[in-house]
Amino acid sequence: MKAMSASAKPVPAVPVNENERTNSQAILGPRGVADPDPAETADWLASLESVLRHGGAARARFLLDRLEQKAREIGVVEEAPPYSPYRNTIPLEKQPPYPGDLAVEERITSIMRWNALAMVVRANMAYGELGGHVASYASAAEIFELGFNHFFQAGDATGAGADLVFFQPHSAPGVYARAFLEGRLSETNLKHYRQEIAGEGLCSYPHPWLMPEFWQVPTGSMGIGPMNAIYQARFMRYLSDRGLADTAGQHVWGVFGDGEMDEPESIGALTLAAREKLDNVTFVINCNLQRLDGPVRGNGQIIQELESVFRGAGWNVVKVLWGSEWDAIFARDTNHALLRRFAATVDGKYQTLGAKDGAYNLAHFFGEDEEVKALVSHMSDGDVDKLKRGGHDFRKLYAAFAAAKATKGRPTVILAKTKKGYGMGGAGESRMTAHQAKKLDTDALKAFRDRFALPLTDAQVEGLEFYKPDENSRELRYLRERREKLGGFLPKRRRTAAHVTVPDLSTYAGFALEADGKEMSTTTAAVRLFSSLIKHKELGPRVVPIVADEARTFGMANLFRQVGIYSPLGQLYEPEDAGSMLYYKESRDGQLLEEGITEAGAISSWAAAATSYSVHGLAMLPFYIYYSMFGFQRVGDLIWAAADQRARGFLIGATAGRTTLGGEGLQHQDGSSHLVAATIPNCRAYDPAFAYEMAVILDHGARDMMERDVDAFYYVTAMNENYAQPSMPDGVRDGIIRGMYRFSGYGDGEPAIRLLGSGAILPEVIAAAKILAEEWGIAAEVHSVTSFSELAREAREVERSNRLNPGLPAKRSLVEESLPGSAPVVAATDYVRAYPQLIATAIQARYVTLGTDGFGRSDTRSALRAFFEVDRHHVAVAALAALADEGSLDRAKVAEAVARYGLSPNRPAPWTV
């Protein structure tokens, strides 16, 4: 051999396939270039095989690595192909023995398939609008059953140490079908799939809010699960490294779709998992090659693409493409003709092949290449029809799962090739319409029964009866035995954890309760409050401060030194600012999670901490502080998923409002987050103006979550504007929590006008009340509204109660109690007008709202407030106009005020575009 003739160690002669010497098409370069010297190529390949036989795989890999390195150095190649050949990663000779009873597991899986199918089809025959999905679970059944029977651990009797499993959402019927065999769900439950109102039904997808003792995590919004799974695995390490919990035996499994991986969130945290060596997370991608409307990559190969992505991110990649029936064919393919054929076949064609029978595959796949055709010349149409994809083969899947658990130092992804609608035949198997298949005719149902040898009569099939073997049958005994060995049933969710005492507010919030005019921002107050909580002996270790990247912006630099920044590697360098008091300190037991510029990652980290009480039985209190504009508007779907999971924690929307972050402009200025927050049922949203309001809200929220087991999370906005902070008046604590209290009155006599303000605009409202009293002789009353959404929630409840209980004395909401009579009410906030309008139906008097509708822009705070017409002068004029509309003030006074304060009636409204 030319290139290795100088080798000191002779290479033994190796038989060479003559086809490789003579057929230039047998050996193509990676770019499809014909081989100009097949004989020399054959010598090289023979040499490599010889090294493998005599020196072993490690030696062969070493030589290949050195060759690749040298090729890069001399400019022959720029990079190696980012994916491996289109075959199973684990060869047959390295496949471990299967530890279970294959025949029993296949029968159980067939029963699951039928019950899942019957559940969906039955519901849609009765109620056509219910929907549901059959094809996804049909493709993933073996993946789920392999996990349930051999890998998904349920922990101890309390659930501690349990694995966390993210189930592909469209496959929920299959999980219900298993729970039915386990005795956890009844036939009545299955008959009420997607019919939850009556109380016995099952929700469409995994929803912990709707089934709080069953589902662990929500995955219904595709793309959310993969990112959350990674951050849950990372939080397990965080708890362990900080000495709070032993999570060494826990694993996170995520079963996701190949089409789902197009969601940016699905791959957004892959490098984090590799960088932090999270070998406690495994993704199983159900590669059925189809999304909802057709192929995921009709003109490409999604499996090879995903391998490139994951391998490039540092993951261990295990491909499970072909079932055991293919092993003999691969063994005969010494010239790798089959691999070349696979490489040249795009997914669109794989889908067509999957939908057709053995005869079609013989003609249109094997028959298109003489060498490939020869490999299956002994096989009948029926034999070819029985060739399975790897994701439907328990042996192949077990080898992959076992390899994933054995891999140390990096996460693993299993790319399992399956058929969408597997077993549905012409009604859905590999069909474009598979995802929408919700009804099957009688012939299709009988064919399904026959294919999986189900003991059902024609009448039972036609009646879509569920099938459950006898309790003492081998199938049910086996199923229970496997789960007992793994600790119990899954999914299963814990609802509570041991309570943690919150210290008395006066012990850590004196600076806020008795501010006595000291200037500070509410952002500063919030940071000081949770920084003080960190020092508390019992609660302190449970506080999890989280920031995307701007800890210094929010005044949190002191936490660098106080509690350290979490890093599983510690600090391998001396920071540039090592000599300063507040240097950048990373440590393995660090408490602060500094996530970098990823709001999606930070909120996923928050969700992991906010659900720790359920996942780990360990109540944590996370505070995620961020630019409020980059919360609900940017990662609202992740927040909604956390709400579904009954998260408990604080979201601190800093630099909040549209006019407080003067110079930043449109993208940074938040005018709508409170409106979005109001749509989430278990979100308690507040916009405090004063430090003492912030203190009371945080204290109340912490007690709700840590002491009272309230499944709610708190969104609290904070501003970066310094202004004089008053001390807390007596008797206002209840009003702060309920959403409103009377702050002060200005002028003599009964108030002619009532002014409502929240957050950064409350000082402007107070100033407007003084203007009305001092310049116009009008008595005004000011109310601080800490939460329009909480007021609206209570008002709705009161309105409903009065409507449905006409025979009982009418109730009154806090809004009605606080704003009686006919005096007009003017409300001003730093948010769109729709926010204060949430309480409009509860106010009997004329109600005027001012807000910051429109795009943000850069300028000073005072200029912005004048532009958006929420400053003191616009509030005062709005009050005068409301009085004039009621007939209690001459309209000439309004015109006089407009002129006096230099307002511009003819300029375009700020919300015009």
Side-chain angles (χ1 to χ4, degrees), residues 721-875:
E721 181 180 1
N722 291 323
Y723 49 79
Q725 298 286 341
S727 298
M728 185 168 80
D730 293 334
V732 301
R733 185 184 294 241
D734 182 64
I736 291 172
I737 298 305
R738 292 179 66 187
M740 181 173 72
Y741 65 94
R742 182 183 183 278
F743 176 75
S744 186
Y746 299 88
D748 299 327
E750 289 295 314
I753 190 83
R754 292 189 170 96
L755 306 181
L756 313 183
S758 73
I761 303 302
L762 180 58
E764 294 296 316
V765 170
I766 294 170
K770 293 178 180 177
I771 288 173
L772 290 171
E774 296 170 3
E775 299 185 22
W776 302 94
I778 296 172
E781 186 177 74
V782 174
H783 291 256
S784 174
V785 178
T786 54
S787 178
F788 282 100
S789 54
E790 285 299 295
L791 292 176
R793 180 178 281 115
E794 185 201 44
R796 286 195 303 269
E797 292 170 358
V798 168
E799 180 183 351
R800 177 180 180 273
S801 177
N802 290 340
R803 181 172 64 250
L804 298 179
N805 297 282
L808 298 178
K811 298 178 181 179
R812 300 182 73 201
S813 66
L814 178 60
V815 173
E816 293 171 308
E817 292 174 350
S818 302
L819 306 173
S822 59
V825 179
V826 176
T829 77
D830 216 7
Y831 301 89
V832 295
R833 295 171 65 190
Y835 176 50
Q837 285 168 355
L838 290 172
I839 65 169
T841 58
I843 297 177
Q844 303 304 312
R846 175 170 175 74
Y847 186 44
V848 178
T849 61
L850 303 178
T852 55
D853 298 71
F855 286 119
R857 57 207 65 212
S858 301
D859 215 308
T860 63
R861 293 188 183 107
S862 60
L864 288 169
R865 286 166 188 164
F867 173 81
F868 284 108
E869 301 177 358
V870 292
D871 67 351
R872 62 194 64 187
H873 294 132
H874 280 93
V875 174

Side-chain angles (χ1 to χ4, degrees), residues 222-488:
M222 288 190 289
I224 299 267
M227 179 167 280
N228 277 342
I230 288 171
Y231 278 89
Q232 285 281 3
R234 194 280 200 96
F235 192 72
M236 289 179 182
R237 291 288 172 82
Y238 172 87
L239 291 177
S240 178
D241 287 341
R242 291 192 55 217
L244 295 173
D246 180 7
T247 61
Q250 291 180 265
H251 204 82
V252 178
W253 302 91
V255 182
F256 308 116
D258 47 359
E260 181 177 3
M261 302 314 291
D262 279 347
E263 291 283 2
E265 295 90 348
S266 293
I267 60 173
L270 298 186
T271 55
L272 169 78
R275 184 170 64 249
E276 300 206 359
K277 306 184 189 312
L278 298 181
D279 50 27
N280 61 338
V281 62
T282 297
F283 282 9
V284 185
I285 310 299
N286 176 21
C287 296
N288 57 37
L289 312 186
Q290 286 183 243
R291 51 189 177 205
L292 277 60
D293 288 333
V296 178
R297 294 289 184 275
N299 296 313
Q301 293 183 332
I302 186 60
I303 290 174
Q304 302 299 69
E305 180 181 323
L306 289 176
E307 180 181 6
S308 301
V309 170
F310 279 90
R311 193 180 297 282
W315 286 53
N316 175 43
V317 179
V318 180
K319 292 196 290 194
V320 186
L321 307 188
W322 310 111
S324 298
E325 299 82 3
W326 289 85
D327 288 339
I329 302 175
F330 278 112
R332 291 192 296 275
D333 186 19
T334 58
N335 198 26
H336 305 309
L338 194 56
L339 290 181
R340 292 195 301 276
R341 189 82 188 99
F342 287 151
T345 304
V346 296
D347 285 354
K349 183 164 185 174
Y350 277 126
Q351 182 185 358
T352 302
L353 294 168
K356 303 295 184 179
D357 60 12
Y360 184 93
N361 277 258
L362 275 172
H364 296 277
F365 178 77
F366 296 102
E368 291 182 355
D369 183 293
E370 290 300 319
E371 199 171 350
V372 174
K373 183 179 179 180
L375 294 174
V376 294
S377 59
H378 64 291
M379 297 177 69
S380 67
D381 294 355
D383 292 334
V384 172
D385 210 26
K386 292 177 182 178
L387 294 173
K388 290 201 299 283
R389 294 181 179 179
H392 300 301
D393 188 311
F394 281 123
R395 293 186 183 92
K396 302 300 184 184
L397 286 171
Y398 179 81
F401 274 61
K405 284 297 295 283
T407 297
K408 301 303 177 185
R410 57 177 174 159
T412 295
V413 60
I414 297 170
L415 302 175
K417 188 174 185 179
T418 65
K419 279 188 184 182
K420 192 157 191 173
Y422 183 67
M424 294 171 64
E429 188 167 308
S430 283
R431 306 281 171 169
M432 291 288 192
T433 57
H435 194 79
Q436 282 71 34
K438 308 173 195 333
K439 298 180 181 180
L440 279 73
D441 61 28
T442 300
D443 289 342
L445 291 170
K446 290 178 179 177
F448 188 96
R449 172 202 60 188
D450 295 342
R451 177 166 183 172
F452 293 108
L454 292 161
L456 297 168
T457 66
D458 285 354
Q460 288 174 316
V461 170
E462 292 170 10
L464 290 166
E465 294 185 19
F466 299 115
Y467 176 67
K468 186 175 184 179
D470 183 85
E471 287 296 323
N472 291 319
S473 65
R474 173 61 178 145
E475 289 86 355
L476 291 196
R477 284 189 288 108
Y478 183 88
L479 183 146
R480 288 191 293 264
E481 288 167 4
R482 298 309 306 174
R483 288 313 311 166
E484 286 171 6
K485 186 174 181 180
L486 291 167

Side-chain angles (χ1 to χ4, degrees), residues 235 238-240 242-245 497-500 538-546 591 593 605-614 616-623 647-650 701-702 705-706 712:
F235 192 72
Y238 172 87
L239 291 177
S240 178
R242 291 192 55 217
L244 295 173
H499 295 169
V500 179
E538 183 177 2
L539 180 63
R542 308 295 185 92
V543 175
V544 184
I546 303 170
Q591 193 164 349
L593 291 173
S605 203
W606 176 84
T611 57
S612 175
Y613 75 94
S614 175
H616 303 290
L618 186 72
M620 304 295 286
L621 189 63
F623 288 82
R648 301 175 185 174
F650 288 103
M705 295 180 279
M706 304 299 284

Side-chain angles (χ1 to χ4, degrees), residues 123 127 130 190-202:
Y127 305 98
L130 289 178
L190 269 59
K191 288 179 178 178
H192 287 83
Y193 171 65
R194 288 195 168 192
Q195 302 162 64
E196 301 174 73
I197 303 298
E200 295 180 303
L202 303 174

